[in-house]
Amino acid sequence: MVGVIFDLDGTLWNISSICADAWNQAIKIANIPRTPITEDDINGVSGLPFIECIKNIFPDIEEENINKFSLLIEDCEKQEIKTRGGTLYEGVSELDTLSSQFPLFLVSNCEYWYLQVFLSMPLNTSNTNKTFRDIFVDSECFGRTQKPKAENIIAICQRNSLKKAIYIGDTESDRLAAMKAGVDFIHASYGFGYVESANLKSAASFSEVVDILLTLINPPSVTIENITASL
């Protein structure tokens, strides 16, 4: 069985502006002197565990204050994200159709509550009774296991008896996690990051991700015309 495992941020939705607003609320409450957080700041740490994001954006905060500040940011994020939700990339509703062809899974470095907010979202506006939880067979995140992404990908494969899997993500850290886990990788180049390897399947939109996956089921036929055209 081939399993398709998705990253979340920069692959299925974009929530950077909401996170930036939440982080700026936390800065104001904590009275931290710094310029406002931007979407680019959030995008720059996308894919890292939450604490690592904070350490990257606030390198001057003393270690003993990191946990306290992280709780404040998390509270602000929960309020904003649960109220406003994220912006799905165009075409993500095609997951509904894709789920009839492949078992779908989700692995992210996000916090557990954050993953649950996404899974509870309606798949599309025309059918608000069907959520992402209905189409993903299984999911895992750093917030629940406190383990790196590669180990969570391996866990998904093992507990779902996947002999082959493909991980879809948008950053170099996603590619490295897939490589460490021993699974194939598709780069969602429309997301936040880049990859260093040139020998990869890359998708410029979510619809292209779907097209690449569907060729695994229905590979393009080889005809005399195709062979002649390639000569």
Side-chain angles (χ1 to χ4, degrees), residues 170-173 175-176 185 187 193-200:
D170 64 304
T171 66
E172 175 67 2
S173 61
R175 184 187 74 83
L176 293 175
F185 180 71
H187 178 219
Y194 69 96
V195 294
E196 295 181 358
S197 175
N199 300 316
L200 287 175

Side-chain angles (χ1 to χ4, degrees), residues 146-163:
Q146 299 297 300
K147 293 181 179 180
K149 185 171 283 185
E151 291 187 33
N152 287 332
I153 293 173
I154 291 171
I156 285 285
C157 292
Q158 289 178 341
R159 68 188 185 220
N160 291 282
S161 302
L162 300 178
K163 294 183 179 180

Side-chain angles (χ1 to χ4, degrees), residues 59-101:
D60 297 328
I61 291 184
E62 296 179 357
E63 190 69 28
E64 60 266 26
N65 295 324
I66 287 289
N67 286 336
K68 181 179 179 180
F69 188 49
S70 71
L71 291 175
L72 175 58
I73 293 177
E74 188 172 56
D75 285 343
C76 293
E77 276 196 347
K78 282 181 180 179
Q79 181 176 347
E80 289 296 308
I81 293 171
K82 287 180 178 180
T83 301
R84 297 163 61 184
T87 302
L88 299 175
Y89 285 106
E90 184 177 355
V92 167
S93 61
E94 293 182 58
L95 282 172
D96 196 12
T97 301
L98 198 63
S99 66
S100 66
Q101 305 290 335

Side-chain angles (χ1 to χ4, degrees), residues 51-223:
I51 289 293
E52 294 304 314
C53 292
I54 296 173
K55 289 181 178 179
N56 272 269
I57 293 180
F58 299 95
D60 297 328
I61 291 184
E62 296 179 357
E63 190 69 28
E64 60 266 26
N65 295 324
I66 287 289
N67 286 336
K68 181 179 179 180
F69 188 49
S70 71
L71 291 175
L72 175 58
I73 293 177
E74 188 172 56
D75 285 343
C76 293
E77 276 196 347
K78 282 181 180 179
Q79 181 176 347
E80 289 296 308
I81 293 171
K82 287 180 178 180
T83 301
R84 297 163 61 184
T87 302
L88 299 175
Y89 285 106
E90 184 177 355
V92 167
S93 61
E94 293 182 58
L95 282 172
D96 196 12
T97 301
L98 198 63
S99 66
S100 66
Q101 305 290 335
F102 299 95
L104 304 183
F105 305 90
L106 189 57
V107 172
S108 171
N109 270 340
C110 67
E111 294 298 297
Y112 180 73
W113 67 265
Y114 184 98
L115 181 64
Q116 299 311 305
V117 170
F118 174 80
L119 290 173
S120 299
M121 284 184 63
L123 183 61
N124 56 61
T125 55
S126 62
N127 183 2
T128 56
N129 292 323
K130 193 168 190 178
T131 68
F132 285 99
R133 184 172 282 108
D134 296 318
I135 63 169
F136 283 103
V137 176
D138 197 359
S139 60
E140 195 55 272
C141 65
F142 177 86
R144 195 184 78 85
T145 66
Q146 299 297 300
K147 293 181 179 180
K149 185 171 283 185
E151 291 187 33
N152 287 332
I153 293 173
I154 291 171
I156 285 285
C157 292
Q158 289 178 341
R159 68 188 185 220
N160 291 282
S161 302
L162 300 178
K163 294 183 179 180
K164 183 177 176 60
I166 301 169
Y167 189 68
I168 300 162
D170 64 304
T171 66
E172 175 67 2
S173 61
D174 290 333
R175 184 187 74 83
L176 293 175
M179 183 176 67
K180 290 178 183 178
V183 304
D184 293 334
F185 180 71
I186 296 175
H187 178 219
S189 62
Y190 55 87
F192 303 142
Y194 69 96
V195 294
E196 295 181 358
S197 175
N199 300 316
L200 287 175
K201 289 184 174 66
S202 182
S205 67
F206 192 83
S207 292
E208 285 190 22
V209 170
V210 174
D211 290 343
I212 291 171
L213 292 171
L214 291 180
T215 60
L216 300 177
I217 301 173
N218 300 302
S221 59
V222 177
T223 65

